[in-house]
Amino acid sequence: MYTSPYIGRTGIVDAVLRSKIPLITAGRLTDPIERRLVFTGPPGVGKTDLARALALVIAGHPLNVEFRMGTQVNVEVVRDWLRAAPYAPLFGDFFVKILDELDTVPTTAITELRQYLDDLPRRVVFFATSNKAAKELPEPLQTRFMVYKFQGVQTSQVAAFLATRYPDIPAAVLSDIAIQTGGNVRAALTDAASHRDVLRFQQLAA
């Protein structure tokens, strides 16, 4: 059975989607919305990292994965996607697009993006992320994705996770870091890494 490297709700979403990947790659999910997924929730809980990890599994080759920030998706980008729709990938069977911060897509590109999503090529899987709730996305995009809601991680889980990564840092310190970062795993990892570097420097200087 698959064990996710992620914690909290992120780990659950990871396991659920990995169980669906064989259905996607076998072409058994015929409804395009099954290949249009948006991850919503607070920053720092692994939404983008998970999208990248799943994309590589589905695409089978890094060249088949395209990553863009929402602000980079203008009319011409979407039109290029539409023009490329008939073509199959050179490596593997699927292209995967990742659109980070879906809520920042320029208004001028939303109509074309909506058209692309409605006619999503059968060899394309589309991931999007947003720190906003689905109801806060541009109205034309709100109902065009399967929504996976992410949550902040409990501080006890964050502290336990940090302990596996930084066993040389006292548990009390890791607990303080987990509390101070409020469920933001990315921030907790960054703070723990900084604390580890300080500890190592102090040990060398002693």
Side-chain angles (χ1 to χ4, degrees):
M1 183 177 179
Y2 173 73
T3 300
S4 175
Y6 301 94
I7 58 175
R9 176 79 174 180
T10 307
I12 296 172
V13 174
D14 179 25
V16 168
L17 291 181
R18 284 181 187 269
S19 73
K20 294 181 68 173
I21 286 176
L23 301 178
I24 294 173
T25 55
R28 294 173 59 186
L29 301 182
T30 57
D31 188 339
I33 199 170
E34 297 272 10
R35 292 178 284 110
R36 305 191 306 248
L37 316 174
V38 62
F39 298 163
T40 66
V45 295
K47 300 187 300 295
T48 302
D49 189 61
L50 178 57
R52 287 181 180 273
L54 294 172
L56 283 174
V57 176
I58 295 169
H61 195 286
L63 289 178
N64 292 351
V65 180
E66 179 179 358
F67 179 91
R68 288 183 183 269
M69 299 299 296
T71 53
Q72 299 173 322
V73 180
N74 56 33
V75 171
E76 284 307 312
V77 167
V78 183
R79 288 177 180 172
D80 283 344
W81 291 348
L82 288 165
R83 284 190 286 267
Y87 301 103
L90 292 175
F91 307 97
D93 295 321
F94 280 85
F95 291 114
V96 182
K97 299 189 184 300
I98 304 172
L99 201 166
D100 207 25
E101 299 182 8
L102 177 63
D103 50 285
T104 65
V105 172
T107 303
T108 52
I110 287 177
T111 298
E112 280 78 7
L113 180 58
R114 180 182 64 186
Q115 178 187 350
Y116 179 75
L117 292 170
D118 285 348
D119 299 323
L120 192 69
R122 67 180 184 87
R123 292 182 179 271
V124 174
V125 176
F126 199 106
F127 287 100
T129 74
S130 178
N131 294 338
K132 295 185 176 182
K135 64 182 180 181
E136 298 178 86
L137 297 174
E139 193 279 331
L141 303 179
Q142 291 178 9
T143 59
R144 284 182 164 78
F145 292 91
M146 290 190 69
V147 180
Y148 289 87
K149 300 176 182 178
F150 287 56
Q151 301 169 350
V153 182
Q154 293 181 356
T155 54
S156 59
Q157 290 180 291
V158 176
F161 179 64
L162 293 177
T164 66
R165 296 289 189 93
Y166 302 99
D168 51 335
I169 299 178
V173 174
L174 296 178
S175 180
D176 286 343
I177 290 173
I179 292 170
Q180 292 167 10
T181 52
N184 186 318
V185 180
R186 182 175 63 236
L189 286 169
T190 301
D191 286 1
S194 299
H195 190 86
R196 177 202 57 195
D197 290 346
V198 171
L199 283 178
R200 288 179 176 175
F201 177 80
Q202 291 173 335
Q203 291 167 355
L204 290 172

PDB file of all heavy atoms in Angstrom, residues 161-187:
ATOM      1  N   PHE A 161       6.847  15.576  12.131  1.00  0.00           N
ATOM      2  CA  PHE A 161       7.442  15.542  10.798  1.00  0.00           C
ATOM      3  C   PHE A 161       8.841  16.148  10.823  1.00  0.00           C
ATOM      4  O   PHE A 161       9.787  15.596  10.242  1.00  0.00           O
ATOM      5  CB  PHE A 161       6.540  16.298   9.826  1.00  0.00           C
ATOM      6  CG  PHE A 161       7.052  16.367   8.425  1.00  0.00           C
ATOM      7  CD1 PHE A 161       7.199  15.228   7.665  1.00  0.00           C
ATOM      8  CD2 PHE A 161       7.378  17.589   7.841  1.00  0.00           C
ATOM      9  CE1 PHE A 161       7.675  15.281   6.352  1.00  0.00           C
ATOM     10  CE2 PHE A 161       7.838  17.665   6.546  1.00  0.00           C
ATOM     11  CZ  PHE A 161       7.983  16.505   5.797  1.00  0.00           C
ATOM     12  N   LEU A 162       8.996  17.277  11.507  1.00  0.00           N
ATOM     13  CA  LEU A 162      10.304  17.913  11.613  1.00  0.00           C
ATOM     14  C   LEU A 162      11.307  17.006  12.307  1.00  0.00           C
ATOM     15  O   LEU A 162      12.495  16.979  11.961  1.00  0.00           O
ATOM     16  CB  LEU A 162      10.192  19.234  12.368  1.00  0.00           C
ATOM     17  CG  LEU A 162       9.411  20.368  11.686  1.00  0.00           C
ATOM     18  CD1 LEU A 162       9.325  21.583  12.610  1.00  0.00           C
ATOM     19  CD2 LEU A 162      10.055  20.748  10.360  1.00  0.00           C
ATOM     20  N   ALA A 163      10.837  16.254  13.289  1.00  0.00           N
ATOM     21  CA  ALA A 163      11.725  15.363  14.032  1.00  0.00           C
ATOM     22  C   ALA A 163      12.334  14.289  13.129  1.00  0.00           C
ATOM     23  O   ALA A 163      13.464  13.840  13.353  1.00  0.00           O
ATOM     24  CB  ALA A 163      10.969  14.715  15.186  1.00  0.00           C
ATOM     25  N   THR A 164      11.599  13.877  12.103  1.00  0.00           N
ATOM     26  CA  THR A 164      12.139  12.885  11.176  1.00  0.00           C
ATOM     27  C   THR A 164      13.190  13.494  10.259  1.00  0.00           C
ATOM     28  O   THR A 164      14.075  12.796   9.769  1.00  0.00           O
ATOM     29  CB  THR A 164      11.026  12.254  10.314  1.00  0.00           C
ATOM     30  OG1 THR A 164      10.456  13.266   9.450  1.00  0.00           O
ATOM     31  CG2 THR A 164       9.932  11.664  11.184  1.00  0.00           C
ATOM     32  N   ARG A 165      13.076  14.794  10.009  1.00  0.00           N
ATOM     33  CA  ARG A 165      14.014  15.482   9.132  1.00  0.00           C
ATOM     34  C   ARG A 165      15.224  16.036   9.893  1.00  0.00           C
ATOM     35  O   ARG A 165      16.327  16.101   9.336  1.00  0.00           O
ATOM     36  CB  ARG A 165      13.306  16.646   8.421  1.00  0.00           C
ATOM     37  CG  ARG A 165      12.177  16.252   7.475  1.00  0.00           C
ATOM     38  CD  ARG A 165      12.714  15.596   6.230  1.00  0.00           C
ATOM     39  NE  ARG A 165      11.686  15.390   5.225  1.00  0.00           N
ATOM     40  CZ  ARG A 165      11.403  16.254   4.242  1.00  0.00           C
ATOM     41  NH1 ARG A 165      12.082  17.393   4.149  1.00  0.00           N
ATOM     42  NH2 ARG A 165      10.463  16.003   3.361  1.00  0.00           N
ATOM     43  N   TYR A 166      14.995  16.449  11.122  1.00  0.00           N
ATOM     44  CA  TYR A 166      16.052  17.112  11.901  1.00  0.00           C
ATOM     45  C   TYR A 166      16.159  16.475  13.286  1.00  0.00           C
ATOM     46  O   TYR A 166      15.843  17.098  14.295  1.00  0.00           O
ATOM     47  CB  TYR A 166      15.755  18.613  12.024  1.00  0.00           C
ATOM     48  CG  TYR A 166      15.619  19.300  10.689  1.00  0.00           C
ATOM     49  CD1 TYR A 166      14.360  19.553  10.137  1.00  0.00           C
ATOM     50  CD2 TYR A 166      16.741  19.682   9.966  1.00  0.00           C
ATOM     51  CE1 TYR A 166      14.239  20.171   8.905  1.00  0.00           C
ATOM     52  CE2 TYR A 166      16.638  20.291   8.731  1.00  0.00           C
ATOM     53  CZ  TYR A 166      15.373  20.530   8.205  1.00  0.00           C
ATOM     54  OH  TYR A 166      15.262  21.140   6.984  1.00  0.00           O
ATOM     55  N   PRO A 167      16.614  15.219  13.347  1.00  0.00           N
ATOM     56  CA  PRO A 167      16.686  14.528  14.638  1.00  0.00           C
ATOM     57  C   PRO A 167      17.709  15.137  15.596  1.00  0.00           C
ATOM     58  O   PRO A 167      17.674  14.840  16.796  1.00  0.00           O
ATOM     59  CB  PRO A 167      17.074  13.101  14.237  1.00  0.00           C
ATOM     60  CG  PRO A 167      17.744  13.242  12.913  1.00  0.00           C
ATOM     61  CD  PRO A 167      17.043  14.368  12.228  1.00  0.00           C
ATOM     62  N   ASP A 168      18.623  15.980  15.079  1.00  0.00           N
ATOM     63  CA  ASP A 168      19.637  16.588  15.931  1.00  0.00           C
ATOM     64  C   ASP A 168      19.140  17.848  16.639  1.00  0.00           C
ATOM     65  O   ASP A 168      19.839  18.409  17.482  1.00  0.00           O
ATOM     66  CB  ASP A 168      20.882  16.927  15.108  1.00  0.00           C
ATOM     67  CG  ASP A 168      20.566  17.731  13.851  1.00  0.00           C
ATOM     68  OD1 ASP A 168      19.421  17.629  13.359  1.00  0.00           O
ATOM     69  OD2 ASP A 168      21.455  18.454  13.363  1.00  0.00           O
ATOM     70  N   ILE A 169      17.916  18.305  16.306  1.00  0.00           N
ATOM     71  CA  ILE A 169      17.348  19.482  16.959  1.00  0.00           C
ATOM     72  C   ILE A 169      16.448  19.021  18.100  1.00  0.00           C
ATOM     73  O   ILE A 169      15.620  18.119  17.916  1.00  0.00           O
ATOM     74  CB  ILE A 169      16.540  20.336  15.959  1.00  0.00           C
ATOM     75  CG1 ILE A 169      17.453  20.835  14.832  1.00  0.00           C
ATOM     76  CG2 ILE A 169      15.876  21.519  16.659  1.00  0.00           C
ATOM     77  CD1 ILE A 169      16.719  21.645  13.767  1.00  0.00           C
ATOM     78  N   PRO A 170      16.585  19.627  19.285  1.00  0.00           N
ATOM     79  CA  PRO A 170      15.752  19.205  20.431  1.00  0.00           C
ATOM     80  C   PRO A 170      14.260  19.265  20.110  1.00  0.00           C
ATOM     81  O   PRO A 170      13.801  20.161  19.397  1.00  0.00           O
ATOM     82  CB  PRO A 170      16.122  20.217  21.521  1.00  0.00           C
ATOM     83  CG  PRO A 170      17.503  20.662  21.159  1.00  0.00           C
ATOM     84  CD  PRO A 170      17.551  20.667  19.658  1.00  0.00           C
ATOM     85  N   ALA A 171      13.518  18.295  20.635  1.00  0.00           N
ATOM     86  CA  ALA A 171      12.083  18.206  20.362  1.00  0.00           C
ATOM     87  C   ALA A 171      11.348  19.462  20.796  1.00  0.00           C
ATOM     88  O   ALA A 171      10.389  19.899  20.121  1.00  0.00           O
ATOM     89  CB  ALA A 171      11.495  16.988  21.066  1.00  0.00           C
ATOM     90  N   ALA A 172      11.772  20.079  21.903  1.00  0.00           N
ATOM     91  CA  ALA A 172      11.100  21.291  22.382  1.00  0.00           C
ATOM     92  C   ALA A 172      11.252  22.429  21.383  1.00  0.00           C
ATOM     93  O   ALA A 172      10.322  23.229  21.181  1.00  0.00           O
ATOM     94  CB  ALA A 172      11.663  21.701  23.743  1.00  0.00           C
ATOM     95  N   VAL A 173      12.413  22.512  20.751  1.00  0.00           N
ATOM     96  CA  VAL A 173      12.652  23.559  19.749  1.00  0.00           C
ATOM     97  C   VAL A 173      11.766  23.318  18.527  1.00  0.00           C
ATOM     98  O   VAL A 173      11.153  24.239  17.985  1.00  0.00           O
ATOM     99  CB  VAL A 173      14.133  23.594  19.339  1.00  0.00           C
ATOM    100  CG1 VAL A 173      14.348  24.575  18.188  1.00  0.00           C
ATOM    101  CG2 VAL A 173      15.006  23.971  20.532  1.00  0.00           C
ATOM    102  N   LEU A 174      11.688  22.068  18.093  1.00  0.00           N
ATOM    103  CA  LEU A 174      10.854  21.741  16.933  1.00  0.00           C
ATOM    104  C   LEU A 174       9.386  22.023  17.226  1.00  0.00           C
ATOM    105  O   LEU A 174       8.643  22.490  16.351  1.00  0.00           O
ATOM    106  CB  LEU A 174      11.040  20.272  16.545  1.00  0.00           C
ATOM    107  CG  LEU A 174      12.439  19.893  16.071  1.00  0.00           C
ATOM    108  CD1 LEU A 174      12.509  18.399  15.769  1.00  0.00           C
ATOM    109  CD2 LEU A 174      12.837  20.703  14.843  1.00  0.00           C
ATOM    110  N   SER A 175       8.967  21.754  18.451  1.00  0.00           N
ATOM    111  CA  SER A 175       7.587  22.053  18.837  1.00  0.00           C
ATOM    112  C   SER A 175       7.318  23.554  18.773  1.00  0.00           C
ATOM    113  O   SER A 175       6.268  23.986  18.289  1.00  0.00           O
ATOM    114  CB  SER A 175       7.324  21.527  20.248  1.00  0.00           C
ATOM    115  OG  SER A 175       5.985  21.802  20.644  1.00  0.00           O
ATOM    116  N   ASP A 176       8.270  24.356  19.237  1.00  0.00           N
ATOM    117  CA  ASP A 176       8.130  25.814  19.174  1.00  0.00           C
ATOM    118  C   ASP A 176       8.042  26.288  17.721  1.00  0.00           C
ATOM    119  O   ASP A 176       7.229  27.161  17.386  1.00  0.00           O
ATOM    120  CB  ASP A 176       9.306  26.499  19.863  1.00  0.00           C
ATOM    121  CG  ASP A 176       9.222  26.406  21.381  1.00  0.00           C
ATOM    122  OD1 ASP A 176       8.130  26.108  21.893  1.00  0.00           O
ATOM    123  OD2 ASP A 176      10.255  26.632  22.042  1.00  0.00           O
ATOM    124  N   ILE A 177       8.876  25.718  16.860  1.00  0.00           N
ATOM    125  CA  ILE A 177       8.852  26.092  15.440  1.00  0.00           C
ATOM    126  C   ILE A 177       7.494  25.751  14.833  1.00  0.00           C
ATOM    127  O   ILE A 177       6.912  26.548  14.086  1.00  0.00           O
ATOM    128  CB  ILE A 177       9.984  25.369  14.678  1.00  0.00           C
ATOM    129  CG1 ILE A 177      11.343  25.929  15.090  1.00  0.00           C
ATOM    130  CG2 ILE A 177       9.779  25.493  13.161  1.00  0.00           C
ATOM    131  CD1 ILE A 177      12.522  25.164  14.507  1.00  0.00           C
ATOM    132  N   ALA A 178       6.972  24.577  15.151  1.00  0.00           N
ATOM    133  CA  ALA A 178       5.670  24.157  14.613  1.00  0.00           C
ATOM    134  C   ALA A 178       4.569  25.112  15.055  1.00  0.00           C
ATOM    135  O   ALA A 178       3.687  25.477  14.262  1.00  0.00           O
ATOM    136  CB  ALA A 178       5.351  22.734  15.064  1.00  0.00           C
ATOM    137  N   ILE A 179       4.616  25.528  16.307  1.00  0.00           N
ATOM    138  CA  ILE A 179       3.597  26.448  16.821  1.00  0.00           C
ATOM    139  C   ILE A 179       3.718  27.816  16.163  1.00  0.00           C
ATOM    140  O   ILE A 179       2.724  28.412  15.728  1.00  0.00           O
ATOM    141  CB  ILE A 179       3.720  26.572  18.352  1.00  0.00           C
ATOM    142  CG1 ILE A 179       3.340  25.244  19.026  1.00  0.00           C
ATOM    143  CG2 ILE A 179       2.836  27.699  18.882  1.00  0.00           C
ATOM    144  CD1 ILE A 179       3.665  25.184  20.504  1.00  0.00           C
ATOM    145  N   GLN A 180       4.945  28.317  16.053  1.00  0.00           N
ATOM    146  CA  GLN A 180       5.163  29.649  15.496  1.00  0.00           C
ATOM    147  C   GLN A 180       4.783  29.749  14.025  1.00  0.00           C
ATOM    148  O   GLN A 180       4.350  30.804  13.558  1.00  0.00           O
ATOM    149  CB  GLN A 180       6.622  30.054  15.689  1.00  0.00           C
ATOM    150  CG  GLN A 180       7.009  30.293  17.152  1.00  0.00           C
ATOM    151  CD  GLN A 180       8.505  30.382  17.350  1.00  0.00           C
ATOM    152  OE1 GLN A 180       9.275  30.445  16.387  1.00  0.00           O
ATOM    153  NE2 GLN A 180       8.931  30.379  18.608  1.00  0.00           N
ATOM    154  N   THR A 181       4.925  28.655  13.285  1.00  0.00           N
ATOM    155  CA  THR A 181       4.607  28.683  11.854  1.00  0.00           C
ATOM    156  C   THR A 181       3.159  28.331  11.564  1.00  0.00           C
ATOM    157  O   THR A 181       2.718  28.385  10.410  1.00  0.00           O
ATOM    158  CB  THR A 181       5.543  27.733  11.072  1.00  0.00           C
ATOM    159  OG1 THR A 181       5.524  26.435  11.679  1.00  0.00           O
ATOM    160  CG2 THR A 181       6.974  28.265  11.076  1.00  0.00           C
ATOM    161  N   GLY A 182       2.396  27.949  12.576  1.00  0.00           N
ATOM    162  CA  GLY A 182       0.953  27.815  12.454  1.00  0.00           C
ATOM    163  C   GLY A 182       0.453  26.870  11.384  1.00  0.00           C
ATOM    164  O   GLY A 182      -0.504  27.178  10.675  1.00  0.00           O
ATOM    165  N   GLY A 183       1.083  25.716  11.234  1.00  0.00           N
ATOM    166  CA  GLY A 183       0.596  24.736  10.263  1.00  0.00           C
ATOM    167  C   GLY A 183       1.149  24.896   8.865  1.00  0.00           C
ATOM    168  O   GLY A 183       0.790  24.144   7.963  1.00  0.00           O
ATOM    169  N   ASN A 184       2.043  25.884   8.674  1.00  0.00           N
ATOM    170  CA  ASN A 184       2.684  26.079   7.373  1.00  0.00           C
ATOM    171  C   ASN A 184       3.929  25.196   7.342  1.00  0.00           C
ATOM    172  O   ASN A 184       4.961  25.535   7.927  1.00  0.00           O
ATOM    173  CB  ASN A 184       3.046  27.551   7.188  1.00  0.00           C
ATOM    174  CG  ASN A 184       3.582  27.865   5.799  1.00  0.00           C
ATOM    175  OD1 ASN A 184       4.371  27.105   5.257  1.00  0.00           O
ATOM    176  ND2 ASN A 184       3.169  28.988   5.249  1.00  0.00           N
ATOM    177  N   VAL A 185       3.842  24.072   6.658  1.00  0.00           N
ATOM    178  CA  VAL A 185       4.929  23.098   6.667  1.00  0.00           C
ATOM    179  C   VAL A 185       6.172  23.663   5.993  1.00  0.00           C
ATOM    180  O   VAL A 185       7.297  23.457   6.459  1.00  0.00           O
ATOM    181  CB  VAL A 185       4.490  21.789   5.983  1.00  0.00           C
ATOM    182  CG1 VAL A 185       5.628  20.764   5.994  1.00  0.00           C
ATOM    183  CG2 VAL A 185       3.260  21.213   6.684  1.00  0.00           C
ATOM    184  N   ARG A 186       5.982  24.377   4.906  1.00  0.00           N
ATOM    185  CA  ARG A 186       7.136  24.948   4.198  1.00  0.00           C
ATOM    186  C   ARG A 186       7.908  25.904   5.097  1.00  0.00           C
ATOM    187  O   ARG A 186       9.142  25.854   5.182  1.00  0.00           O
ATOM    188  CB  ARG A 186       6.676  25.677   2.933  1.00  0.00           C
ATOM    189  CG  ARG A 186       7.827  26.263   2.116  1.00  0.00           C
ATOM    190  CD  ARG A 186       7.352  26.878   0.820  1.00  0.00           C
ATOM    191  NE  ARG A 186       6.464  27.992   1.048  1.00  0.00           N
ATOM    192  CZ  ARG A 186       5.229  28.084   0.541  1.00  0.00           C
ATOM    193  NH1 ARG A 186       4.753  27.096  -0.186  1.00  0.00           N
ATOM    194  NH2 ARG A 186       4.477  29.142   0.772  1.00  0.00           N
ATOM    195  N   ALA A 187       7.177  26.778   5.811  1.00  0.00           N
ATOM    196  CA  ALA A 187       7.830  27.723   6.715  1.00  0.00           C
ATOM    197  C   ALA A 187       8.520  26.991   7.856  1.00  0.00           C
ATOM    198  O   ALA A 187       9.623  27.370   8.280  1.00  0.00           O
ATOM    199  CB  ALA A 187       6.809  28.718   7.262  1.00  0.00           C
TER     200      ALA A 187
END
